[in-house]
Amino acid sequence: MLALRSFSVAHDGTLAPREGHGPPALRFAWRGRPCEARLERERLRLSAMAGRIPSTAEPGADRSWTLEEVRRLPPEMPPGWALRVTPDHRLRLETEAEPRDTAPGLLSEMVRFALSLDPYLERLESAGVGKAKT
């Protein structure tokens, strides 16, 4: 057995949650944004902090235009994807997938998610959304 944070990996690549580590999750970054793959209630939740809505105090920021562009995005996202605004105005993109039984399967799902993020990250950037500080 190999320990990979909150997962145990068997010799055949099969994943299992490690006891005493909370919900199993792997964190990674894509285009400078923090992402996470977390096993929750028999689902794999994939998420990324896509950015932050600019403050009205930021020079040159057109917050109202940015907010309007952010409102337009969710209906254009694939089914099962969500865009959430956190209390500190960060934007979180989320989706769910079937849990993967093996390390290669989990990594494949993480890569698929990261590549799928690109058009939404580009659109948010063009709307004035800055990278979220973590």
Side-chain angles (χ1 to χ4, degrees):
M1 269 298 163
L2 168 72
L4 180 63
R5 297 207 179 251
S6 54
F7 291 96
S8 292
V9 184
H11 294 290
D12 66 356
T14 304
L15 293 173
R18 286 179 64 199
E19 289 189 32
H21 283 80
L26 289 176
R27 289 171 189 80
F28 60 103
W30 182 250
R31 291 182 53 183
R33 286 154 176 98
C35 301
E36 183 178 68
R38 177 181 296 273
L39 190 58
E40 293 180 352
R41 296 182 208 102
E42 313 256 345
R43 300 292 300 162
L44 179 62
R45 179 174 300 279
L46 299 150
S47 64
M49 278 302 182
R52 189 173 188 287
I53 296 170
S55 164
T56 54
E58 292 179 42
D62 186 349
R63 186 178 170 94
S64 62
W65 183 75
T66 300
L67 289 170
E68 186 57 37
E69 290 299 306
V70 166
R71 278 188 206 101
R72 288 184 185 149
L73 188 60
E76 299 175 20
M77 295 188 319
W81 281 62
L83 176 64
R84 306 205 191 288
V85 180
T86 66
D88 62 352
H89 296 157
R90 290 184 297 160
L91 299 171
R92 182 180 177 99
L93 286 165
E94 299 177 337
T95 191
E96 289 184 347
E98 291 295 322
R100 302 297 177 222
D101 294 337
T102 64
L106 176 61
L107 292 174
S108 295
E109 200 62 50
M110 291 164 61
V111 169
R112 186 177 297 116
F113 173 69
L115 293 175
S116 298
L117 283 172
D118 278 348
Y120 308 111
L121 295 178
E122 289 171 11
R123 183 144 170 213
L124 290 168
E125 284 174 7
S126 70
V129 171
K131 288 185 183 176
K133 294 177 183 163
T134 56

